Each structure stands twice: as structure tokens, then as C-alpha cells.
Amino acid sequence: MTTVCDSTLVGDVVAGSAVGVRGRLWRLRPAEVRDVAVCVSAEILRLEAIRVAAVDELALNPDEQVLCYRGVGRWLAANTMLQNAAGNKIAALGAALRGFPDINAQFEAGDLSFDHAAIIVAFCESPPKGMPENALPSCMATLLAAASGVEATTIKLRYAIAVLERIFESDDTPPGEDDDLNVLRISPTLNGRVAIKGDFDALTGEMLLSALSGLSMPKPAADGTPDQRSAAKRTADAFTELIRRYLDNAMTGVDGGQRPHVNVHITAKDLAEHRECATTRSDTASGSDANFGDAEFYGSAFDDDEPDFEDLDVGYMPWMGPLSVSLTRMLACDCMLSTVLMDGNGAPLDATPHKRLVTAEQRTALIARDKGCAFPNCDAVPAWCDAHHINPWSTGGLTVMDNLALLCRNHHRLIHSTSGFRSIWEIKMGDDHKPWFIPPVAIDPKQRPRRSTTRQGPVHRG
């Protein structure tokens, strides 16, 4: 799709900065403003195609910067305002388009949107089981035609796909009963909540609805007042109760060396003494005060004019991060408590140094300290991590906290790699008894030590 911006004024707005753009638009006629919107939309399609191609090129030929991330999509998210899910989606489309040059050509020509390209690629990668291989080109052409031009809509494209699936229906399991198609996406949101989106076969849906049915029924109050919750709220409450009952009673197996349950980390002092804010943290604290959010923090709560996020009186969950003390204390009323002894820097003290394998107690201490993969900018949770010996056991490195760090499998392989990347990143234990990572000169000529801030906010080396 080619869009020409005939007007000089329209072209100046499209090519210019967004700063003060409303003032420039105000001077244009409505028809010219419409042209701006159309031209910008075409430009976005063009730039999107360029971005997808550039990201895929980095996936094929990564450098040291990209290799530090768990995939090129995460690198893109870390260096833009995109989230990981969006970055991964861009990387996935770029990789998929390699095998479908016709789809790629229409996408690069600006006659196919990003989302529609992803839908068509998904169909071509997993066509109906009854469709012969030689029918794929004509089916692809049909879908490209349905997704082409300004009149294309997602509903129109999905209808075309539904027709093709019906044409090539076979004796195989129908899509509505195929549990291989089941997906469940659980994504933490920016405001600390969780978004859940799933697609299940009919049997799984029946089991889920049956399990939720009794728990989601309206429950009048003791005085007979009708349940004021919406149907969506009742279903959400039922789902929460279903999970709680499962974790309390089910044989859940092992996850990352531990049985999966809700794990919350908090200092014993903060658990025992719930303060309304951090102003009473230390009776002997000195120095100037500063405001951070709605509470005040004094003295040692600041280091180099930045708040020490590790010294705040909150709980911490390995998957979801911070948890208020109020809710942490409520959970502590009915839980199993594990004690990890810490030093003044919040680093766990040691035990059993002469064993090669990390003990369950040491892993618990590592989770409390690193809260997941310790590599900078990595958000892998503890269940996905290995315990890494900084100085290898084979060369005399002990299994002690000052020689251990949690690393996700991707970064663990990077550190141990023998294909040219070994020791590019160096790990050293800081004065705070926490792992610090020294980047190669190619990434930081000054090789300034850094530590993961994904879960802990700004940090400073002691």
C-alpha cells in the first residue's frame, strides 16, 4: 500500500517532531489532518517492517550486547519502551517470515499489518490436519487477499481461516477438542497485578467451569442482603479459592528444588514489628530526610541520594515481587516459616561449605538474597535458576554463599560457554557479599560492576 502525502504542510507534519505537533495541526484544514493520519499510519507500517527485519537480523547475527539477554526480543524490550511480550512477538514474527517469502513481501510492501501477518503465519505453520501440502500456496493467497488493503479487518481474516478449516476438516480431532492447542498466558502487569488469558479445549473448559460453579455462586450476607459482587468478581474469587485449595491439599511435586507454593521473604524484625512507614526505622538515624512516594525515609535509607530499595519494610515474592507487610503478616499467621540468617548487608550466612551440591537450605538462602537470576537485567524467577559456583568446584571453589549465585539456564550457559564467550563477563563477590558482574570492554569500556536491579531497584556497591 503506497500513500503519497501531496501537501507540503502534511509532509512537514509527518516528517517533523511530535513536539508541538498539535499547534501545527491546528493550522491545517480537516482534509489535511486526515491526510496526516493516513500518511502516519502508512509510515508506521513501513517502520514496523524495518524493525522486524532488523530484529531478525540480530537474531541471526547477535553481538555481545544481544547475547547478554535471553533472546533478541528481551534485548529489544530492555532498550526501548516495549515490554518483553511485545519484543518477543516481534522477534517471533521475524523468524517465522523467513519461511514464507510471499507473506514477508506483502508485509514489507506495507499492505499487511503486523497482527495480520502473525495470524497468517500461524495458520501456515499449523494448517488444518486435513489440508494437503499442495493446497498451502492457494490458501495463503486467499488469506493474503483477505488481509490486504484498507478494508481488511481481523474479523474478515479470521472468517477466511474458519472457512478453510471447515473445507479441510478431517477425521482427526476437531480443534474444539484438541488439547494440543491449549494455551494459558499469565503476565504480571505494570501496576503489580496479573493478567490471565487462556484458550482451552471443551473438556478442560467443562472441568474448569464445573470446579468454579459452586465456588462462584452468589452468597447472601448473614442479614440476607444479596451478594453485591459482579459475576466477573465472583468468578475471580472462586478461581483464587480453587488455587488456594489445590496448594493446600494437592501433591504438587517439585519446582526448582522446592515444592511450589506461595513463598514470601521478609526480615524477622519487619515481620514482628509492622510500622506504618519507614520513618521509625532507626531511632539513631541521622542525616537529611527526603520524600519518596507517600512515606519518608531517613538516614541510611539513602545512598548517593537514591533510596535503598532492599531496606524497605516489605515482603518479597519470587514471582511477583513486593508485597505489603500487612498482607505478609496475614499470610504468616498460617504458614511454614524457614529462617535464613543474614549479615548487616542482607547476605545469608553460610553452612555446609564442603559439599559440592547446594543444599536445600543454601538454595533457600540464595533465593532470599538474589530473588532470581542475579545477572543484570534478567527477570528469570528462582524456579528457572541454577546455583552457579563463581570459582568452579573443580578448581577448589567451595559451596559457600560467597561463591554462589543464582543464574537462569541461559546466563548459566553464557558464563560456562567455551565457544568464545567464556569469561567475557566476570563475576565477583562484592563487599556487600552479593554477586557483581563485570561487563566486557565491548559493552562498557570502563567495565563498571553492575548487579541486577530487576527486582531490587537501584543498587550501589559497598
Side-chain angles (χ1 to χ4, degrees), residues 102-124:
D102 291 343
I103 301 176
N104 185 60
Q106 190 159 316
F107 178 58
E108 290 184 346
D111 202 26
L112 186 65
S113 71
F114 180 98
D115 291 334
H116 290 173
I119 292 173
I120 297 175
V121 164
F123 174 88
C124 294

Side-chain angles (χ1 to χ4, degrees), residues 51-116:
R51 179 167 64 176
V52 169
V55 169
D56 192 46
E57 180 62 25
L58 286 174
L60 294 171
N61 300 291
D63 61 3
E64 290 88 349
Q65 293 272 6
V66 175
L67 286 169
C68 292
Y69 293 85
R70 291 190 295 131
V72 67
R74 287 178 176 268
W75 166 83
L76 180 64
N79 290 275
T80 64
M81 289 189 284
L82 295 174
Q83 299 302 303
N84 283 335
N88 290 338
K89 188 175 179 180
I90 291 169
L93 180 61
L97 287 174
R98 299 173 204 163
F100 302 100
D102 291 343
I103 301 176
N104 185 60
Q106 190 159 316
F107 178 58
E108 290 184 346
D111 202 26
L112 186 65
S113 71
F114 180 98
D115 291 334
H116 290 173

Side-chain angles (χ1 to χ4, degrees), residues 205-217 234-243:
E206 181 70 16
M207 290 189 293
L208 179 60
L209 293 173
S210 297
L212 294 174
S213 178
L215 298 174
S216 61
M217 293 178 63
R234 294 199 311 270
T235 302
D237 291 346
F239 191 67
T240 301
E241 179 64 14
L242 190 66
I243 296 172

Side-chain angles (χ1 to χ4, degrees), residues 364-413:
T364 299
L366 281 171
I367 294 173
R369 185 193 71 189
D370 296 343
K371 299 180 174 64
C373 182
F375 199 91
N377 297 316
C378 185
D379 59 1
V381 295
W384 300 346
C385 294
D386 302 326
H388 167 70
H389 285 76
I390 297 174
N391 295 317
W393 171 268
S394 58
T395 60
L398 297 178
T399 307
V400 296
M401 295 304 299
D402 274 1
N403 193 42
L404 296 172
L406 281 183
L407 293 177
C408 69
R409 190 59 54 87
N410 183 70
H411 287 126
H412 204 176
R413 282 197 299 264

Side-chain angles (χ1 to χ4, degrees), residues 177-300:
E177 299 174 13
D178 189 353
D179 58 11
D180 288 339
L181 302 178
N182 289 0
V183 292
L184 180 64
R185 297 181 177 87
I186 304 177
S187 306
T189 64
L190 294 178
N191 62 352
R193 297 181 64 81
V194 172
I196 301 177
K197 184 177 182 180
D199 184 6
F200 296 96
D201 63 280
L203 179 58
T204 303
E206 181 70 16
M207 290 189 293
L208 179 60
L209 293 173
S210 297
L212 294 174
S213 178
L215 298 174
S216 61
M217 293 178 63
K219 298 178 181 178
D223 61 357
T225 304
D227 194 336
Q228 299 298 315
R229 297 175 299 167
S230 66
K233 181 63 168 66
R234 294 199 311 270
T235 302
D237 291 346
F239 191 67
T240 301
E241 179 64 14
L242 190 66
I243 296 172
R244 187 191 68 78
R245 293 187 185 186
Y246 168 77
L247 292 176
D248 283 346
N249 301 298
M251 296 296 293
T252 53
V254 174
D255 182 9
Q258 296 179 324
R259 289 186 64 189
H261 212 290
V262 176
N263 293 286
V264 182
H265 301 128
I266 191 170
T267 65
K269 180 179 179 182
D270 290 334
L271 182 62
E273 302 175 13
H274 179 209
R275 291 172 295 281
E276 294 302 323
C277 65
T279 55
T280 59
R281 173 164 303 283
S282 173
D283 294 333
T284 60
S286 61
S288 62
D289 59 88
N291 289 323
F292 185 79
D294 295 327
E296 292 180 310
F297 299 87
Y298 288 88
S300 61

